[in-house]
Amino acid sequence: MKYKYIIYLLVCIMVTVACNEESKYNTPDEFQYSPKKNAFRVTKISGTNSHWGKFTLTMEYDKEELSNITRTNATNDTVGGIGIIRSTSSITYELQDWIPSIDNDSIHRMDSILSAKYGTGNYQLWDSLPKSAQAILRTTVYTNTNGSIKKLSIQSYQPNEKSEVVGDDFAYNYILKTTTASTYEYDVNSNICINRIMYDVHDPVDKEIYERSLYKTETEYGGDKIKTLTWFTVPGGAGFTEYNRYNYTYNDNRLTAINGTDFTRTFTYSGNQVTVKTNNSEVAIYELDSNGNVVKMDDGKGNVYTIEYEPGHGNFSHVFVSVSEQMTNPFFIK
Amino acid sequence: MKMQKIILFLVCLTGFLHSCYEDKSSLNYTLVNPINIDLGGANTEYSVFAYDTLEIKPIVYKEGVSDTELSYRWTVSGNYIVPTVLDSTMTLKVRVDLQPQTIAYNLLYEVWDNTTGIKQEQTFKIKVETPFGSGLVISETEDEQTSDISLIRAYCFSSGFKKAQDTTMRNLFSLVNKRKIAGVGTAILSTTYGVYGRFMTIGTNSSVDRIDPFDYSYIDGNGSSFMIDPKNYNVTSLGFSSNAGCIETIVIGGKLYTHYYQTQAIHTFSYYLLTSDMSDYRVGLATQPEWAYGLCFDEMNGRFLEIQGTKYLRVINSKKLEPDAAFDPNKLQDFTCRAMFSGRNNITHNILQEKDPVTGKPKLDGKIYCYDTKQEYYYNDPDLINGMPSKIIDLNGFPDIQKALFFSGTNNRDYIYYATEDKIYTINLIMNVVTEDYVVPTTESSDEVITSMAVWLGYGSMNFTNNQGEMGTTSSANNMLVVTTYSPSLKEGFVRTLPISIYTGRIEANKDYHGMFRGFGRITATTSQKD
């Protein structure tokens, strides 16, 4: 009888051991990121702007990422491209201008030499010039393990004023103007809900000296549509303080207005054309194709582009259009 | 027996099953998102001037936690200071009230997640450097009872400065020493000589204070600045001669005390100098030329006395005067001395005015003259030329001379400048003509009046109209007047800088080249600070 109880006890122990679930290895509440993919991606942008003049940008992709960009000018010379640097945690895209690394006097001298040697019209001066690739825009994309973009750092450069002078004072290297670093947080629907922005304006002489401003946006969504965009800034020696709130208005499922303090943007639709008016003064006109892609844009400041697409997802807008721009104007190049 | 075997089998089976059980209790925790302190690539080592603003702007966040659930603390330590909390916000913006040191301070930035109590730290190194380089030092008062010291570092006052860098550091004495200066400043002198001689002496009508011009820390004052306490501290004049004896002089209660700079040990003022004939004296003003022994005016006996280094005040020997000497430096009993300053060609200009014999003050409408005395190198004066008379210049025919409050001149031109309450005149001593060259503008207020005027002898640059009518640039030393003004209605003091044309000796006519610094109390004394 005594042995019977011992057997019961041992069986209970075995059952307990068998039922014992191994301890859980808990991880942060990581959401399942569902990337929002475009059905089309840009392959060519042609137009005119103040920096490049008349130009054509041609984009190529490897799978869904930009793999090459070339820029040609009005005479079809290739005058720009892209540099791509990959590291374990980031990819840097550097949109480059190819510029002469010698001053105008030297260019004229070379032109004279070539002209004397080959005769006018029998040589390509541009091809003969020593050139340097200078970044006009450098974007570094940092990604999370789930594939979402964690941080985006955009550095913008400006041409060197000394590139116009000749002699010893000549300098061609572009000068870092601003750095904008944006760090994103996502909601459960994979929408960016918080964007923390570090904006540095660099000293033209010493880029290590800069004036920094901090901003934050918080986005409230209704479904996939933005309802409000709240702006915060940081006064010196303080934390984030709200300073503006954009309210979004929709009509027939289309964005018609964004209203904030000292900021108004209206969207007027007419056929395949959208007119975007900012603060009742700046007017930009967009032309859309049947898929809703922007195929022509005129920003009202002399910059006019035509855009061509191909089917498939691409990361052009991730790299070259800031999130705050995308959130305040849905008509951007994808 | 069978039952025993069954039990043994079950025991073995239990042990076997247990051996298969993997203990993962050490993994029974939850990974949490980290607190991110994003410096945006900024360096963690900062260099900042003392009393300047230190600003550090990181972005701090923890995914999934509201920003309001984070708390912050910035604490500075190191260099033997008590750790001090500077701020408790996400970004730091604080004036650095720390002593300049060669070793960096430690700045600890702590961020707490209040929902979990988890803390993240970031350390910085903060090197505090002295901001007190060359510039114009002013003594100012706001209550007519106490004074403070401010420093203007600017293009026209400091070496290697651009105009955009012009900066004013106000109330440095009280900022560093946590008190005001007792009394209204009457004289101020900042002197740096070698490694050990570094003093800024501030005299008022009732006090003497000495501070280190590099960091404005207190050295000593009143009785402790003297070997023998003079008891009263009514300072009327300060001077320094780097070459002729290397002495600093201070006049208190009519007696002249000296501080010998070329020593490592004792840096107090000695007992007051006696005269060479042991007669009593009462000095009002004194001047210290660069290479000659200084000169002072004895108001008691109406005579000039030569400051013979730290030895004595030499009574000038009237018996050695030339027969045609312009005046006897021992027979000036009818005069009081209004100003003493060096002129061109080794001359000292001494502005004397007839005095009221009872009060000793300038007589109403008393005649004003410039008594020029000779200067001679201190090491080359066996004939005792220094202090001997040169000539008398009659100033009485010049406009507004009776209203003149301040006189000055440069040692490279034959010009004397005198200022009334609102005008400055230039006397061309060669042509014996005077021109009204400057009127205090009424753009700031209608009651702004001049409170002091001196030729600038420090560092810096200035612009002027050159002989092609274009902008020229040259050193401001000996080429610029520093004029201080005060508006009673605004209760505001101004510093105005007036370039002197290197071609005409007159005040620059193009007002674009004049400078102005404002926002002070009433300015009562100025000096230059050199590196």
Side-chain angles (χ1 to χ4, degrees), chain B residues 225-232 248-259 268-276 278-283 300 305 307 309-313:
Chain B
S225 300
F226 295 82
M227 272 184 192
I228 299 170
D229 189 350
K231 303 295 184 188
N232 91 70
E248 180 186 14
T249 58
I250 185 169
V251 178
I252 293 179
K255 298 294 185 277
L256 190 141
Y257 300 76
T258 59
H259 158 212
T268 52
F269 286 98
S270 65
Y271 190 63
Y272 68 79
L273 296 187
L274 302 176
T275 56
S276 55
M278 302 300 284
S279 57
D280 198 7
Y281 68 94
R282 191 179 71 250
V283 168
M300 179 187 287
L305 297 169
I307 305 167
T310 57
K311 292 181 283 187
Y312 52 80
L313 296 175

Side-chain angles (χ1 to χ4, degrees), chain B residues 458-512:
Chain B
Y459 297 140
S461 304
M462 60 154 218
N463 299 130
F464 65 100
T465 306
N466 65 20
N467 50 7
Q468 272 97 45
E470 298 165 349
M471 187 181 83
T473 301
T474 190
S475 162
S476 53
N478 252 323
N479 290 321
M480 186 174 78
L481 286 174
V482 177
V483 177
T484 64
T485 59
Y486 183 68
S487 162
S489 62
L490 297 175
K491 290 187 168 51
E492 184 178 3
F494 301 79
V495 174
R496 294 183 180 275
T497 56
L498 308 177
I500 298 167
S501 168
I502 63 171
Y503 300 105
T504 67
R506 294 179 56 182
I507 294 170
E508 171 64 47
N510 187 344
K511 291 184 172 55
D512 290 344

Side-chain angles (χ1 to χ4, degrees), chain A residues 35-52:
Chain A
K36 293 176 170 44
K37 295 195 173 184
N38 309 320
F40 295 86
R41 60 192 181 193
V42 61
T43 54
K44 187 182 278 187
I45 303 172
S46 306
T48 306
N49 68 22
S50 55
H51 175 62
W52 286 333

Side-chain angles (χ1 to χ4, degrees), chain A residues 3 7 10 13-14 17 20 23-24 26 28 151 183 185 196-198 210 212 214 216 234 236-238 240, chain B residues 3-4 7 13-14 18 21 24 27 29-31 38-40 42 57-59 61 64 67 89 91 93:
Chain A
Y3 294 123
I7 289 167
L10 287 171
I13 290 170
M14 289 170 67
V17 169
N20 192 351
S23 299
K24 276 187 177 172
N26 296 318
K151 183 177 177 180
T183 309
E185 272 188 61
R196 294 180 175 88
I197 304 162
M198 208 174 246
Y210 50 81
R212 171 167 291 175
L214 303 180
K216 182 175 77 165
V234 181
F240 283 113
Chain B
M3 187 59 75
Q4 285 176 329
I7 291 170
L13 183 62
T14 305
H18 260 288
Y21 176 70
K24 290 191 176 180
L27 296 175
Y29 55 79
T30 302
L31 287 179
D38 185 355
L39 302 177
K57 285 183 167 177
I59 276 188
Y61 63 96
D67 290 344
T89 54
T91 59
K93 187 177 184 180

Side-chain angles (χ1 to χ4, degrees), chain A residues 70-93:
Chain A
T70 51
R71 179 169 65 85
T72 51
N73 61 11
T75 54
N76 216 24
D77 291 320
T78 302
V79 290
I82 192 169
I84 300 175
I85 305 161
R86 292 176 187 275
S87 76
T88 51
S89 61
S90 65
I91 306 176
T92 299
Y93 300 89

